[in-house]
Amino acid sequence: SGRRICARLSSDLYQIGIGPKLTWRAHDRIDLFGSVEALCSFSHLEAESGDRRRTETECLPGVGARLGLVAYLTDNIGLQIDAGYEWVDEADVSLGGVRAEVHYSSFVTTVGIALRF
């Protein structure tokens, strides 16, 4: 306490999720959907302070829920938009007397192209 610390922290997060998705055809070209999934989030943290450096990679458990819609432009191609929340366990890294926590839980949105076969 009372001293200044200069450090750099970088983080990457990769996720794999599995769970049910329910879809309702609201119109010929519009599908509404909701999903809940269990997440395994791979967190890769790098911390640097002075001449010390440390990296850590770990799998963090989590859950996610989403609501969205797909508007089909043709019979097989559509635009998708969804929003939801993901809770992911926090990650931490220690370097000497410095400890940092990273919180990944957040509101998420997705916009993309949907293909139907």
Side-chain angles (χ1 to χ4, degrees), residues 6-27:
C6 184
R8 184 181 78 76
L9 176 69
S10 67
S11 169
D12 293 318
L13 185 71
Y14 305 95
Q15 292 181 314
I16 297 172
I18 188 168
K21 178 179 178 181
L22 298 174
T23 302
W24 174 59
R25 171 133 313 144
H27 188 270

Side-chain angles (χ1 to χ4, degrees), residues 76-94:
N76 298 322
I77 300 172
L79 297 175
Q80 175 178 324
I81 184 167
D82 63 62
Y85 187 80
E86 292 179 353
W87 173 85
V88 179
D89 199 11
E90 59 194 40
D92 61 32
V93 63
S94 297

Side-chain angles (χ1 to χ4, degrees), residues 63-79:
V63 293
R66 296 175 184 263
L67 294 174
L69 70 88
V70 180
Y72 286 95
L73 306 173
T74 68
D75 288 341
N76 298 322
I77 300 172
L79 297 175

Side-chain angles (χ1 to χ4, degrees), residues 12 23 33 43 53 59 65 97 103:
D12 293 318
T23 302
F33 65 88
S43 167
R53 183 173 186 210
C59 178
H103 301 268

Side-chain angles (χ1 to χ4, degrees), residues 16-116:
I16 297 172
I18 188 168
K21 178 179 178 181
L22 298 174
T23 302
W24 174 59
R25 171 133 313 144
H27 188 270
D28 287 343
R29 298 216 182 253
I30 297 178
D31 289 349
L32 301 173
F33 65 88
S35 67
V36 176
E37 56 189 359
L39 300 171
C40 179
S41 303
F42 295 95
S43 167
H44 179 75
L45 297 172
E46 291 183 18
E48 291 181 27
S49 180
D51 60 348
R52 293 176 292 176
R53 183 173 186 210
R54 181 165 183 172
T55 62
E56 287 193 14
T57 302
E58 57 185 306
C59 178
L60 307 171
V63 293
R66 296 175 184 263
L67 294 174
L69 70 88
V70 180
Y72 286 95
L73 306 173
T74 68
D75 288 341
N76 298 322
I77 300 172
L79 297 175
Q80 175 178 324
I81 184 167
D82 63 62
Y85 187 80
E86 292 179 353
W87 173 85
V88 179
D89 199 11
E90 59 194 40
D92 61 32
V93 63
S94 297
L95 185 63
V98 179
R99 181 174 177 263
E101 287 184 353
V102 180
H103 301 268
Y104 293 108
S105 298
S106 66
F107 175 77
V108 293
T109 59
T110 304
V111 176
I113 296 174
L115 302 175
R116 180 169 53 185

